[in-house]
PDB file of all heavy atoms in Angstrom:
ATOM      1  N   GLU A  49      11.362   5.299   7.144  1.00 92.00           N
ATOM      2  CA  GLU A  49      12.474   6.247   7.127  1.00 92.00           C
ATOM      3  C   GLU A  49      12.260   7.337   8.172  1.00 92.00           C
ATOM      4  O   GLU A  49      11.181   7.924   8.272  1.00 92.00           O
ATOM      5  CB  GLU A  49      12.602   6.872   5.744  1.00 92.00           C
ATOM      6  CG  GLU A  49      13.804   7.797   5.621  1.00 92.00           C
ATOM      7  CD  GLU A  49      13.963   8.339   4.216  1.00 92.00           C
ATOM      8  OE1 GLU A  49      12.970   8.874   3.667  1.00 92.00           O
ATOM      9  OE2 GLU A  49      15.063   8.230   3.675  1.00 92.00           O
ATOM     10  N   GLY A  50      13.272   7.586   8.971  1.00 88.00           N
ATOM     11  CA  GLY A  50      13.227   8.639   9.971  1.00 88.00           C
ATOM     12  C   GLY A  50      12.551   8.254  11.268  1.00 88.00           C
ATOM     13  O   GLY A  50      12.502   9.048  12.194  1.00 88.00           O
ATOM     14  N   ALA A  51      12.010   7.055  11.333  1.00 85.00           N
ATOM     15  CA  ALA A  51      11.341   6.604  12.558  1.00 85.00           C
ATOM     16  C   ALA A  51      12.254   5.647  13.296  1.00 85.00           C
ATOM     17  O   ALA A  51      12.980   4.865  12.677  1.00 85.00           O
ATOM     18  CB  ALA A  51      10.024   5.905  12.222  1.00 85.00           C
ATOM     19  N   PRO A  52      12.224   5.699  14.623  1.00 80.00           N
ATOM     20  CA  PRO A  52      13.029   4.734  15.370  1.00 80.00           C
ATOM     21  C   PRO A  52      12.530   3.319  15.104  1.00 80.00           C
ATOM     22  O   PRO A  52      11.337   3.108  14.868  1.00 80.00           O
ATOM     23  CB  PRO A  52      12.821   5.129  16.831  1.00 80.00           C
ATOM     24  CG  PRO A  52      11.609   5.993  16.846  1.00 80.00           C
ATOM     25  CD  PRO A  52      11.448   6.573  15.476  1.00 80.00           C
ATOM     26  N   LYS A  53      13.448   2.401  15.124  1.00 74.00           N
ATOM     27  CA  LYS A  53      13.057   1.010  14.925  1.00 74.00           C
ATOM     28  C   LYS A  53      12.164   0.588  16.089  1.00 74.00           C
ATOM     29  O   LYS A  53      12.498   0.796  17.244  1.00 74.00           O
ATOM     30  CB  LYS A  53      14.293   0.124  14.845  1.00 74.00           C
ATOM     31  CG  LYS A  53      13.957  -1.298  14.476  1.00 74.00           C
ATOM     32  CD  LYS A  53      15.195  -2.083  14.136  1.00 74.00           C
ATOM     33  CE  LYS A  53      14.744  -3.508  13.936  1.00 74.00           C
ATOM     34  NZ  LYS A  53      15.146  -4.103  12.746  1.00 74.00           N
ATOM     35  N   PRO A  54      11.002   0.013  15.781  1.00 67.00           N
ATOM     36  CA  PRO A  54      10.081  -0.369  16.856  1.00 67.00           C
ATOM     37  C   PRO A  54      10.601  -1.547  17.669  1.00 67.00           C
ATOM     38  O   PRO A  54      11.422  -2.332  17.190  1.00 67.00           O
ATOM     39  CB  PRO A  54       8.804  -0.750  16.109  1.00 67.00           C
ATOM     40  CG  PRO A  54       9.262  -1.123  14.746  1.00 67.00           C
ATOM     41  CD  PRO A  54      10.496  -0.320  14.477  1.00 67.00           C
ATOM     42  N   ASP A  55      10.126  -1.643  18.898  1.00 68.00           N
ATOM     43  CA  ASP A  55      10.431  -2.814  19.709  1.00 68.00           C
ATOM     44  C   ASP A  55       9.653  -3.983  19.123  1.00 68.00           C
ATOM     45  O   ASP A  55       8.438  -3.906  18.965  1.00 68.00           O
ATOM     46  CB  ASP A  55      10.012  -2.599  21.165  1.00 68.00           C
ATOM     47  CG  ASP A  55      10.838  -1.515  21.830  1.00 68.00           C
ATOM     48  OD1 ASP A  55      11.997  -1.307  21.413  1.00 68.00           O
ATOM     49  OD2 ASP A  55      10.317  -0.864  22.749  1.00 68.00           O
ATOM     50  N   GLY A  56      10.332  -5.020  18.796  1.00 66.00           N
ATOM     51  CA  GLY A  56       9.677  -6.179  18.201  1.00 66.00           C
ATOM     52  C   GLY A  56       9.460  -5.993  16.714  1.00 66.00           C
ATOM     53  O   GLY A  56       9.652  -4.910  16.172  1.00 66.00           O
ATOM     54  N   PRO A  57       9.039  -7.040  16.045  1.00 65.00           N
ATOM     55  CA  PRO A  57       8.873  -6.966  14.589  1.00 65.00           C
ATOM     56  C   PRO A  57       7.642  -6.166  14.178  1.00 65.00           C
ATOM     57  O   PRO A  57       6.642  -6.143  14.879  1.00 65.00           O
ATOM     58  CB  PRO A  57       8.722  -8.431  14.186  1.00 65.00           C
ATOM     59  CG  PRO A  57       8.192  -9.108  15.401  1.00 65.00           C
ATOM     60  CD  PRO A  57       8.762  -8.362  16.577  1.00 65.00           C
ATOM     61  N   THR A  58       7.757  -5.467  13.088  1.00 68.00           N
ATOM     62  CA  THR A  58       6.636  -4.814  12.435  1.00 68.00           C
ATOM     63  C   THR A  58       6.432  -5.561  11.138  1.00 68.00           C
ATOM     64  O   THR A  58       7.256  -5.484  10.243  1.00 68.00           O
ATOM     65  CB  THR A  58       6.930  -3.328  12.161  1.00 68.00           C
ATOM     66  OG1 THR A  58       7.209  -2.690  13.388  1.00 68.00           O
ATOM     67  CG2 THR A  58       5.756  -2.649  11.501  1.00 68.00           C
ATOM     68  N   ARG A  59       5.392  -6.320  11.049  1.00 66.00           N
ATOM     69  CA  ARG A  59       5.149  -7.194   9.900  1.00 66.00           C
ATOM     70  C   ARG A  59       4.082  -6.611   8.985  1.00 66.00           C
ATOM     71  O   ARG A  59       3.278  -5.797   9.407  1.00 66.00           O
ATOM     72  CB  ARG A  59       4.699  -8.582  10.372  1.00 66.00           C
ATOM     73  CG  ARG A  59       5.627  -9.220  11.358  1.00 66.00           C
ATOM     74  CD  ARG A  59       6.880  -9.667  10.686  1.00 66.00           C
ATOM     75  NE  ARG A  59       7.718 -10.345  11.672  1.00 66.00           N
ATOM     76  CZ  ARG A  59       8.839 -10.932  11.366  1.00 66.00           C
ATOM     77  NH1 ARG A  59       9.278 -10.936  10.143  1.00 66.00           N
ATOM     78  NH2 ARG A  59       9.564 -11.501  12.294  1.00 66.00           N
ATOM     79  N   TYR A  60       4.074  -7.055   7.767  1.00 68.00           N
ATOM     80  CA  TYR A  60       3.049  -6.616   6.835  1.00 68.00           C
ATOM     81  C   TYR A  60       2.694  -7.739   5.877  1.00 68.00           C
ATOM     82  O   TYR A  60       3.464  -8.655   5.659  1.00 68.00           O
ATOM     83  CB  TYR A  60       3.507  -5.382   6.057  1.00 68.00           C
ATOM     84  CG  TYR A  60       4.582  -5.688   5.045  1.00 68.00           C
ATOM     85  CD1 TYR A  60       4.257  -5.919   3.715  1.00 68.00           C
ATOM     86  CD2 TYR A  60       5.913  -5.755   5.415  1.00 68.00           C
ATOM     87  CE1 TYR A  60       5.227  -6.207   2.788  1.00 68.00           C
ATOM     88  CE2 TYR A  60       6.886  -6.039   4.488  1.00 68.00           C
ATOM     89  CZ  TYR A  60       6.541  -6.262   3.171  1.00 68.00           C
ATOM     90  OH  TYR A  60       7.510  -6.554   2.255  1.00 68.00           O
ATOM     91  N   ASP A  61       1.528  -7.622   5.328  1.00 67.00           N
ATOM     92  CA  ASP A  61       1.078  -8.490   4.253  1.00 67.00           C
ATOM     93  C   ASP A  61       0.899  -7.603   3.034  1.00 67.00           C
ATOM     94  O   ASP A  61       0.379  -6.498   3.135  1.00 67.00           O
ATOM     95  CB  ASP A  61      -0.268  -9.150   4.586  1.00 67.00           C
ATOM     96  CG  ASP A  61      -0.138 -10.188   5.692  1.00 67.00           C
ATOM     97  OD1 ASP A  61       0.835 -10.953   5.652  1.00 67.00           O
ATOM     98  OD2 ASP A  61      -0.996 -10.226   6.575  1.00 67.00           O
ATOM     99  N   GLY A  62       1.319  -8.080   1.911  1.00 69.00           N
ATOM    100  CA  GLY A  62       1.183  -7.283   0.711  1.00 69.00           C
ATOM    101  C   GLY A  62       1.390  -8.133  -0.512  1.00 69.00           C
ATOM    102  O   GLY A  62       1.718  -9.305  -0.417  1.00 69.00           O
ATOM    103  N   GLY A  63       1.195  -7.545  -1.622  1.00 71.00           N
ATOM    104  CA  GLY A  63       1.388  -8.235  -2.878  1.00 71.00           C
ATOM    105  C   GLY A  63       1.605  -7.225  -3.977  1.00 71.00           C
ATOM    106  O   GLY A  63       1.370  -6.043  -3.792  1.00 71.00           O
ATOM    107  N   GLY A  64       2.063  -7.705  -5.096  1.00 77.00           N
ATOM    108  CA  GLY A  64       2.292  -6.824  -6.226  1.00 77.00           C
ATOM    109  C   GLY A  64       1.038  -6.648  -7.061  1.00 77.00           C
ATOM    110  O   GLY A  64       0.362  -7.621  -7.379  1.00 77.00           O
ATOM    111  N   VAL A  65       0.716  -5.412  -7.383  1.00 82.00           N
ATOM    112  CA  VAL A  65      -0.396  -5.119  -8.274  1.00 82.00           C
ATOM    113  C   VAL A  65       0.063  -4.077  -9.279  1.00 82.00           C
ATOM    114  O   VAL A  65       1.072  -3.395  -9.079  1.00 82.00           O
ATOM    115  CB  VAL A  65      -1.655  -4.622  -7.520  1.00 82.00           C
ATOM    116  CG1 VAL A  65      -2.109  -5.647  -6.502  1.00 82.00           C
ATOM    117  CG2 VAL A  65      -1.429  -3.284  -6.862  1.00 82.00           C
ATOM    118  N   GLY A  66      -0.658  -3.957 -10.355  1.00 84.00           N
ATOM    119  CA  GLY A  66      -0.277  -3.018 -11.393  1.00 84.00           C
ATOM    120  C   GLY A  66      -1.331  -1.968 -11.642  1.00 84.00           C
ATOM    121  O   GLY A  66      -2.344  -1.885 -10.931  1.00 84.00           O
ATOM    122  N   PRO A  67      -1.116  -1.149 -12.686  1.00 89.00           N
ATOM    123  CA  PRO A  67      -2.068  -0.107 -13.035  1.00 89.00           C
ATOM    124  C   PRO A  67      -3.467  -0.679 -13.256  1.00 89.00           C
ATOM    125  O   PRO A  67      -3.637  -1.733 -13.862  1.00 89.00           O
ATOM    126  CB  PRO A  67      -1.500   0.458 -14.337  1.00 89.00           C
ATOM    127  CG  PRO A  67      -0.029   0.176 -14.249  1.00 89.00           C
ATOM    128  CD  PRO A  67       0.059  -1.161 -13.552  1.00 89.00           C
ATOM    129  N   GLY A  68      -4.454   0.015 -12.736  1.00 88.00           N
ATOM    130  CA  GLY A  68      -5.842  -0.377 -12.913  1.00 88.00           C
ATOM    131  C   GLY A  68      -6.391  -1.305 -11.845  1.00 88.00           C
ATOM    132  O   GLY A  68      -7.596  -1.555 -11.801  1.00 88.00           O
ATOM    133  N   PHE A  69      -5.538  -1.805 -10.953  1.00 87.00           N
ATOM    134  CA  PHE A  69      -5.976  -2.771  -9.954  1.00 87.00           C
ATOM    135  C   PHE A  69      -7.033  -2.184  -9.019  1.00 87.00           C
ATOM    136  O   PHE A  69      -8.093  -2.754  -8.831  1.00 87.00           O
ATOM    137  CB  PHE A  69      -4.781  -3.266  -9.138  1.00 87.00           C
ATOM    138  CG  PHE A  69      -5.143  -4.239  -8.053  1.00 87.00           C
ATOM    139  CD1 PHE A  69      -5.351  -5.575  -8.330  1.00 87.00           C
ATOM    140  CD2 PHE A  69      -5.277  -3.819  -6.737  1.00 87.00           C
ATOM    141  CE1 PHE A  69      -5.680  -6.482  -7.339  1.00 87.00           C
ATOM    142  CE2 PHE A  69      -5.613  -4.711  -5.726  1.00 87.00           C
ATOM    143  CZ  PHE A  69      -5.815  -6.047  -6.033  1.00 87.00           C
ATOM    144  N   PHE A  70      -6.734  -1.037  -8.429  1.00 89.00           N
ATOM    145  CA  PHE A  70      -7.659  -0.445  -7.461  1.00 89.00           C
ATOM    146  C   PHE A  70      -8.956   0.004  -8.135  1.00 89.00           C
ATOM    147  O   PHE A  70     -10.042  -0.137  -7.570  1.00 89.00           O
ATOM    148  CB  PHE A  70      -6.992   0.710  -6.708  1.00 89.00           C
ATOM    149  CG  PHE A  70      -5.773   0.279  -5.949  1.00 89.00           C
ATOM    150  CD1 PHE A  70      -4.515   0.685  -6.337  1.00 89.00           C
ATOM    151  CD2 PHE A  70      -5.889  -0.573  -4.857  1.00 89.00           C
ATOM    152  CE1 PHE A  70      -3.388   0.264  -5.648  1.00 89.00           C
ATOM    153  CE2 PHE A  70      -4.767  -0.998  -4.160  1.00 89.00           C
ATOM    154  CZ  PHE A  70      -3.514  -0.577  -4.560  1.00 89.00           C
ATOM    155  N   GLU A  71      -8.855   0.528  -9.346  1.00 88.00           N
ATOM    156  CA  GLU A  71     -10.044   0.944 -10.082  1.00 88.00           C
ATOM    157  C   GLU A  71     -10.929  -0.266 -10.402  1.00 88.00           C
ATOM    158  O   GLU A  71     -12.150  -0.199 -10.280  1.00 88.00           O
ATOM    159  CB  GLU A  71      -9.645   1.657 -11.382  1.00 88.00           C
ATOM    160  CG  GLU A  71      -8.924   2.970 -11.161  1.00 88.00           C
ATOM    161  CD  GLU A  71      -7.420   2.816 -10.924  1.00 88.00           C
ATOM    162  OE1 GLU A  71      -6.909   1.682 -10.842  1.00 88.00           O
ATOM    163  OE2 GLU A  71      -6.757   3.851 -10.803  1.00 88.00           O
ATOM    164  N   ALA A  72     -10.308  -1.367 -10.806  1.00 86.00           N
ATOM    165  CA  ALA A  72     -11.073  -2.569 -11.158  1.00 86.00           C
ATOM    166  C   ALA A  72     -11.844  -3.114  -9.957  1.00 86.00           C
ATOM    167  O   ALA A  72     -12.961  -3.607 -10.104  1.00 86.00           O
ATOM    168  CB  ALA A  72     -10.146  -3.645 -11.715  1.00 86.00           C
ATOM    169  N   LEU A  73     -11.252  -3.010  -8.779  1.00 86.00           N
ATOM    170  CA  LEU A  73     -11.918  -3.491  -7.569  1.00 86.00           C
ATOM    171  C   LEU A  73     -12.741  -2.407  -6.887  1.00 86.00           C
ATOM    172  O   LEU A  73     -13.313  -2.633  -5.823  1.00 86.00           O
ATOM    173  CB  LEU A  73     -10.885  -4.052  -6.585  1.00 86.00           C
ATOM    174  CG  LEU A  73     -10.179  -5.316  -7.036  1.00 86.00           C
ATOM    175  CD1 LEU A  73      -9.199  -5.799  -5.974  1.00 86.00           C
ATOM    176  CD2 LEU A  73     -11.163  -6.416  -7.377  1.00 86.00           C
ATOM    177  N   ARG A  74     -12.756  -1.221  -7.492  1.00 91.00           N
ATOM    178  CA  ARG A  74     -13.490  -0.068  -6.968  1.00 91.00           C
ATOM    179  C   ARG A  74     -13.053   0.294  -5.550  1.00 91.00           C
ATOM    180  O   ARG A  74     -13.866   0.604  -4.681  1.00 91.00           O
ATOM    181  CB  ARG A  74     -14.989  -0.297  -7.044  1.00 91.00           C
ATOM    182  CG  ARG A  74     -15.451  -0.433  -8.467  1.00 91.00           C
ATOM    183  CD  ARG A  74     -16.915  -0.540  -8.586  1.00 91.00           C
ATOM    184  NE  ARG A  74     -17.237  -0.647 -10.017  1.00 91.00           N
ATOM    185  CZ  ARG A  74     -18.356  -1.133 -10.466  1.00 91.00           C
ATOM    186  NH1 ARG A  74     -19.285  -1.544  -9.641  1.00 91.00           N
ATOM    187  NH2 ARG A  74     -18.569  -1.200 -11.753  1.00 91.00           N
ATOM    188  N   VAL A  75     -11.754   0.249  -5.346  1.00 91.00           N
ATOM    189  CA  VAL A  75     -11.160   0.674  -4.071  1.00 91.00           C
ATOM    190  C   VAL A  75     -10.843   2.162  -4.215  1.00 91.00           C
ATOM    191  O   VAL A  75     -10.024   2.537  -5.052  1.00 91.00           O
ATOM    192  CB  VAL A  75      -9.881  -0.126  -3.744  1.00 91.00           C
ATOM    193  CG1 VAL A  75      -9.243   0.381  -2.462  1.00 91.00           C
ATOM    194  CG2 VAL A  75     -10.186  -1.608  -3.657  1.00 91.00           C
ATOM    195  N   PRO A  76     -11.492   3.013  -3.414  1.00 95.00           N
ATOM    196  CA  PRO A  76     -11.287   4.454  -3.563  1.00 95.00           C
ATOM    197  C   PRO A  76      -9.879   4.898  -3.179  1.00 95.00           C
ATOM    198  O   PRO A  76      -9.306   4.427  -2.205  1.00 95.00           O
ATOM    199  CB  PRO A  76     -12.307   5.076  -2.605  1.00 95.00           C
ATOM    200  CG  PRO A  76     -13.214   3.984  -2.187  1.00 95.00           C
ATOM    201  CD  PRO A  76     -12.496   2.692  -2.404  1.00 95.00           C
ATOM    202  N   MET A  77      -9.360   5.829  -3.958  1.00 96.00           N
ATOM    203  CA  MET A  77      -8.095   6.477  -3.656  1.00 96.00           C
ATOM    204  C   MET A  77      -8.399   7.608  -2.685  1.00 96.00           C
ATOM    205  O   MET A  77      -9.235   8.465  -2.961  1.00 96.00           O
ATOM    206  CB  MET A  77      -7.474   7.009  -4.946  1.00 96.00           C
ATOM    207  CG  MET A  77      -6.057   7.464  -4.824  1.00 96.00           C
ATOM    208  SD  MET A  77      -4.844   6.176  -4.441  1.00 96.00           S
ATOM    209  CE  MET A  77      -5.092   4.969  -5.709  1.00 96.00           C
ATOM    210  N   VAL A  78      -7.754   7.598  -1.527  1.00 96.00           N
ATOM    211  CA  VAL A  78      -7.960   8.619  -0.505  1.00 96.00           C
ATOM    212  C   VAL A  78      -7.043   9.811  -0.754  1.00 96.00           C
ATOM    213  O   VAL A  78      -7.423  10.963  -0.553  1.00 96.00           O
ATOM    214  CB  VAL A  78      -7.713   8.025   0.906  1.00 96.00           C
ATOM    215  CG1 VAL A  78      -7.773   9.085   1.977  1.00 96.00           C
ATOM    216  CG2 VAL A  78      -8.694   6.906   1.190  1.00 96.00           C
ATOM    217  N   GLU A  79      -5.849   9.519  -1.210  1.00 97.00           N
ATOM    218  CA  GLU A  79      -4.845  10.569  -1.418  1.00 97.00           C
ATOM    219  C   GLU A  79      -3.830  10.073  -2.434  1.00 97.00           C
ATOM    220  O   GLU A  79      -3.541   8.883  -2.515  1.00 97.00           O
ATOM    221  CB  GLU A  79      -4.158  10.866  -0.083  1.00 97.00           C
ATOM    222  CG  GLU A  79      -3.192  12.010  -0.121  1.00 97.00           C
ATOM    223  CD  GLU A  79      -2.526  12.293   1.226  1.00 97.00           C
ATOM    224  OE1 GLU A  79      -2.625  11.454   2.140  1.00 97.00           O
ATOM    225  OE2 GLU A  79      -1.896  13.342   1.338  1.00 97.00           O
ATOM    226  N   GLY A  80      -3.288  10.984  -3.211  1.00 97.00           N
ATOM    227  CA  GLY A  80      -2.254  10.610  -4.165  1.00 97.00           C
ATOM    228  C   GLY A  80      -2.829   9.906  -5.376  1.00 97.00           C
ATOM    229  O   GLY A  80      -3.923  10.215  -5.834  1.00 97.00           O
ATOM    230  N   ARG A  81      -2.091   8.911  -5.861  1.00 96.00           N
ATOM    231  CA  ARG A  81      -2.478   8.225  -7.088  1.00 96.00           C
ATOM    232  C   ARG A  81      -2.272   6.720  -6.972  1.00 96.00           C
ATOM    233  O   ARG A  81      -1.580   6.244  -6.082  1.00 96.00           O
ATOM    234  CB  ARG A  81      -1.640   8.749  -8.260  1.00 96.00           C
ATOM    235  CG  ARG A  81      -0.137   8.423  -8.118  1.00 96.00           C
ATOM    236  CD  ARG A  81       0.613   8.792  -9.388  1.00 96.00           C
ATOM    237  NE  ARG A  81       2.046   8.591  -9.279  1.00 96.00           N
ATOM    238  CZ  ARG A  81       2.680   7.434  -9.488  1.00 96.00           C
ATOM    239  NH1 ARG A  81       2.001   6.333  -9.769  1.00 96.00           N
ATOM    240  NH2 ARG A  81       3.999   7.360  -9.395  1.00 96.00           N
ATOM    241  N   GLY A  82      -2.859   6.015  -7.902  1.00 92.00           N
ATOM    242  CA  GLY A  82      -2.609   4.583  -8.019  1.00 92.00           C
ATOM    243  C   GLY A  82      -1.369   4.359  -8.872  1.00 92.00           C
ATOM    244  O   GLY A  82      -0.654   5.303  -9.220  1.00 92.00           O
ATOM    245  N   PHE A  83      -1.138   3.128  -9.217  1.00 92.00           N
ATOM    246  CA  PHE A  83       0.027   2.800 -10.037  1.00 92.00           C
ATOM    247  C   PHE A  83      -0.208   3.187 -11.496  1.00 92.00           C
ATOM    248  O   PHE A  83      -1.326   3.120 -11.990  1.00 92.00           O
ATOM    249  CB  PHE A  83       0.333   1.302  -9.939  1.00 92.00           C
ATOM    250  CG  PHE A  83       0.761   0.885  -8.560  1.00 92.00           C
ATOM    251  CD1 PHE A  83      -0.066   0.085  -7.787  1.00 92.00           C
ATOM    252  CD2 PHE A  83       1.967   1.289  -8.038  1.00 92.00           C
ATOM    253  CE1 PHE A  83       0.308  -0.304  -6.511  1.00 92.00           C
ATOM    254  CE2 PHE A  83       2.361   0.914  -6.764  1.00 92.00           C
ATOM    255  CZ  PHE A  83       1.527   0.112  -5.999  1.00 92.00           C
ATOM    256  N   VAL A  84       0.861   3.582 -12.168  1.00 92.00           N
ATOM    257  CA  VAL A  84       0.835   3.908 -13.589  1.00 92.00           C
ATOM    258  C   VAL A  84       1.882   3.055 -14.295  1.00 92.00           C
ATOM    259  O   VAL A  84       2.739   2.445 -13.654  1.00 92.00           O
ATOM    260  CB  VAL A  84       1.089   5.420 -13.826  1.00 92.00           C
ATOM    261  CG1 VAL A  84      -0.032   6.268 -13.225  1.00 92.00           C
ATOM    262  CG2 VAL A  84       2.432   5.849 -13.259  1.00 92.00           C
TER     263      VAL A  84
END
């Protein structure tokens, strides 16, 4: 939002996860919060 559309595709890989996912894998939260 608010950014010009980039030249060429901007692709991503992702998946759905729920509450507790990052904690279970011990992935540190840098800022904000995980899912609730």
Side-chain angles (χ1 to χ4, degrees):
E49 184 176 51
K53 187 169 174 128
D55 294 333
T58 301
R59 306 287 183 175
Y60 71 96
D61 290 318
V65 302
F69 178 81
F70 300 111
E71 294 84 356
L73 293 181
R74 296 185 179 159
V75 177
M77 191 65 55
V78 174
E79 185 180 13
R81 65 172 176 85
F83 294 111
V84 296

